[in-house]
Amino acid sequence: MPSTTPSKPSPLLLAISVFVVHTLLRAVIVFGPGMGGPAAADETRFHMPVIQSFAEQWPSVDLSSYAAASTPGHHLALALLERGASSSVELVRFVSGAPISVLLAMLVWWCARRVGAIAALALALPLACSPHAVGFATLVVPESTSWLLVAVVLLVTASRRVGIMTCVTLGVLLFASAGVRQLTLWCAAPIWVAAWLSGSSLVTHPSRVLPECVTRIDAPRERLVRAGIAFVCTLPAFALVGWFMNMWGGLVPPGFQSAEAAAQISGGVVNQGLSLSAPAFTLCLVGVAGFIFLPMAASGLRSRSSTVIRWGVGGAVVALVLSLAVPTSYSMEDGRWGGLWNAARLLPTILDRSLFTAGGAMVGGAVVGGLVIGTLPVRARWVLLSALVASMAAHSAGAQVFQRYIEPLVLILLPIAIGCAYEQREDRPPVWSLLGPAALAALLTALTISRVGAAVPA
């Protein structure tokens, strides 16, 4: 079977090239036709007015109530730029989107060290071409900084032992991430898991997922010490979010806590509430994208076929239960609209349960069970699983299940999972398997092009 050969360019040189090319492409859009779509509407209605308001109030900025549903770190940083440089909106957009260029460069660098240059580019291409990621890269929205910080946490925790200094660094990253988007507090989970696993060597037979004796923990003292240090290092992020919650009287600023308050903000929606359909929708997205990425790990899946099948079936069953336990039909009132929710709108539903969402979630559960649990090395397996579960729980604590909130995570997690699948192997993804991510990237590019230069929704 043909495979991609090890790449000649160094991963670092490749990453620098990706950063430069992506930055130039961003500049063409930002200083040219501009970007439309939901993120553009968010910029116009919420983020730019907040940044301008903060710049006018500086240094006595009122954080108790403002017209954006996220914590204000990104806005405060850009308010300084707005105030200090009297910047044009294009310059603010260009600076705001820079973290996405860094994210793509880091992802390519990390993957290239494991699967080679061509496969690494294929893995990162869907994220780079996603209309949501392009929107984050060319508009003034906090998701750009947020997803960079999330990606760094995941790349570190999935690939290396976590010592004291790494715990401190990850704690700082989590604090910064929570200061930009409070939702990303879920990143504490993979930090804790990585620290626990770092307390002792991770030696296990590849055919096993769970330890032979679940009642006896090896090296409990070392694991507890590492996990305790990690827990302490993440406390400042929890304290920061707690401080904002106390000031706001909820998880988001007051203007987004009730229908009456949101009605006073142009385009405002209620962000505080519960969305128990978030796990099913997340797994549906994993299923759609994972089905395309999965062939890249074909050799690893074949070598552990019995484990992959067993856990893949188990994951599909769990996903089916999650998707049938709560309503998953299209509903703007309940925050289930846009993106793949439109497929749920067009296809049959039974008792408010979308057959499309259920089917997609089952595929996603199979991908998680077969690839993440059945194939990956121990550290990556439990770190990525904890990240996925924690993120689903976090999104369940919000009133809106928008695809643009979740899709970037899926397109970050899957390349990391494929990269980890080759950490203990000497082969590379087969060349034919790269066609899937390339085709997905082409489809996403078409969606992105339709938004370039498009009018911003009123």
Side-chain angles (χ1 to χ4, degrees):
M1 180 179 297
S3 299
T4 56
T5 56
S7 57
K8 293 182 180 180
S10 71
L12 180 59
L13 179 61
L14 184 65
I16 293 173
S17 301
V18 167
F19 176 82
V20 171
V21 170
H22 189 260
T23 299
L24 291 175
L25 291 174
R26 284 197 309 109
V28 170
I29 296 175
V30 169
F31 295 101
M35 189 72 179
D42 285 354
E43 178 198 74
T44 302
R45 296 166 178 166
F46 312 127
H47 302 300
M48 278 304 300
V50 168
I51 290 168
Q52 292 164 354
S53 173
F54 285 177
E56 293 169 359
Q57 297 174 29
W58 200 273
S60 301
V61 179
D62 180 12
L63 302 179
S64 63
S65 181
Y66 51 90
S70 63
T71 39
H74 189 81
H75 303 86
L76 288 170
L78 291 180
L80 275 174
L81 175 65
E82 177 84 6
R83 182 178 177 83
S86 298
S87 308
S88 66
V89 66
E90 289 81 11
L91 180 58
V92 177
R93 286 172 177 164
F94 185 71
V95 173
S96 175
I100 298 295
S101 297
V102 178
L103 188 166
L104 289 168
M106 289 189 62
L107 186 62
V108 167
W109 167 80
W110 190 92
C111 290
R113 298 175 66 197
R114 292 159 174 80
V115 299
I118 297 175
L121 290 173
L123 284 170
L125 203 55
L127 177 63
C129 297
S130 163
H132 302 303
V134 174
F136 302 155
T138 56
L139 294 163
V140 182
V141 290
E143 284 86 351
S144 57
T145 300
S146 172
W147 285 118
L148 170 62
L149 295 169
V150 168
V152 174
V153 170
L154 294 177
L155 291 171
V156 171
T157 55
S159 60
R160 59 173 295 173
R161 292 185 60 146
V162 176
I164 294 177
M165 287 309 300
T166 306
C167 282
V168 173
T169 301
L170 290 171
V172 172
L173 291 172
L174 182 66
F175 183 87
S177 183
V180 171
R181 285 184 75 213
Q182 64 273 40
L183 179 72
T184 59
L185 199 58
W186 62 261
C187 285
I191 295 174
W192 299 336
V193 170
W196 172 270
L197 295 174
S198 298
S200 182
S201 59
L202 302 175
V203 179
T204 183
H205 193 276
S207 65
R208 295 197 62 85
V209 170
L210 298 175
E212 294 185 28
C213 180
V214 296
T215 59
R216 186 178 69 249
I217 301 173
D218 65 303
R221 182 178 178 277
E222 291 82 356
R223 295 191 190 279
L224 285 171
V225 168
R226 290 287 182 100
I229 292 172
F231 178 76
V232 170
C233 290
T234 59
L235 284 179
F238 282 88
L240 178 65
V241 173
W243 181 74
F244 278 112
M245 289 177 61
N246 180 67
M247 179 170 53
W248 295 335
L251 288 169
V252 291
F256 300 89
Q257 294 181 18
S258 67
E260 295 77 10
Q264 305 302 313
I265 301 174
S266 175
V269 294
V270 178
N271 285 80
Q272 183 158 297
L274 294 178
S275 296
L276 300 182
S277 62
F281 186 69
T282 300
L283 288 173
C284 185
L285 285 171
V286 173
V288 172
F291 181 78
I292 296 170
F293 279 91
L294 205 57
M296 294 188 69
S299 56
L301 295 169
R302 282 197 304 270
S303 66
R304 302 181 184 179
S305 57
S306 61
T307 303
V308 167
I309 292 172
R310 183 167 62 251
W311 286 95
V313 171
V317 171
V318 171
L320 179 62
V321 172
L322 289 173
S323 59
L324 296 181
V326 297
T328 55
S329 60
Y330 180 97
S331 173
M332 290 188 68
E333 182 180 350
D334 296 313
R336 303 190 298 269
W337 53 289
L340 288 184
W341 287 119
N342 289 323
R345 182 185 191 180
L346 298 174
L347 296 176
T349 60
I350 299 175
L351 299 175
D352 275 342
R353 272 65 175 174
S354 164
L355 298 184
F356 171 80
T357 304
M362 288 182 68
V363 176
V367 170
V368 173
L371 174 63
V372 177
I373 299 180
T375 307
L376 300 191
V378 178
R379 180 184 313 284
R381 174 192 307 156
W382 297 114
V383 164
L384 296 186
L385 186 62
S386 68
L388 186 63
V389 172
S391 68
M392 291 191 298
H395 283 97
S396 296
Q400 306 293 330
V401 189
F402 292 147
Q403 184 164 326
R404 67 180 183 272
Y405 291 172
I406 303 172
E407 180 189 290
L409 175 63
V410 173
L411 296 180
I412 291 170
L413 279 178
L414 286 171
I416 293 176
I418 298 295
C420 288
Y422 284 89
E423 275 194 349
Q424 299 174 356
R425 304 180 63 88
E426 296 185 0
D427 59 341
R428 292 289 186 262
V431 173
W432 61 265
S433 70
L434 308 187
L435 296 177
L440 176 59
L443 174 61
L444 293 172
T445 298
L447 296 174
T448 297
I449 290 174
S450 70
R451 294 183 180 183
V452 174
V456 178

